[in-house]
């Protein structure tokens, strides 16, 4: 489970200090989320803290993987 950041991100830095897992980092063009660290804030908050603070609503849930990968 993880969220991801769309290219609309303006690098405003508001989401970074909110992440309890330090999963957000500055990518080549905009901020990105390390999917190995993001827990969608479960255990910390009721909703993803980064989504709550992002002024552009450019952070989205990654679609959940469903079942085994197709061959
Ligand atoms: S959903 Fe929570 S854990 Fe994941 S990147 Fe956002 S603030 Fe961090
Ligand atoms: S709060 Fe939104 S616009 Fe700001 S750096 Fe994070 S993802 Fe980008």
């Amino acid at each position: 489970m993880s969220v991801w950041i769309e290219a609309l991100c303006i690098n405003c830095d508001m989401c970074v200090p909110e992440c309890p897992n330090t999963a957000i980092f500055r990518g080549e063009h905009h901020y990105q989320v390390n999917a190995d660290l993001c827990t969608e804030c479960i255990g910390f908050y009721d909703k993803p803290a980064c989504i709550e603070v992002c002024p552009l609503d450019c952070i989205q849930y990654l679609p959940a993987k469903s079942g085994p990968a197709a061959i």
Side-chain angles (χ1 to χ4, degrees):
M1 64 172 56
S2 179
V3 300
W4 66 283
I5 298 176
E6 297 176 342
L8 291 172
C9 170
I10 57 170
N11 304 320
C12 74
D13 204 39
M14 288 186 66
C15 57
V16 175
E18 302 300 325
C19 180
N21 295 315
T22 59
I24 304 171
F25 63 98
R26 181 79 184 254
E28 186 177 353
H29 299 294
H30 59 80
Y31 280 90
Q32 297 179 5
V33 174
N34 183 336
D36 291 332
L37 296 178
C38 175
T39 60
E40 296 183 1
C41 285
I42 290 174
F44 293 96
Y45 308 112
D46 292 338
K47 298 176 182 175
C50 55
I51 290 177
E52 291 291 292
V53 300
C54 178
L56 295 184
D57 292 332
C58 65
I59 307 175
Q60 309 292 337
Y61 288 96
L62 268 181
K65 294 190 179 100
S66 55
I71 296 173

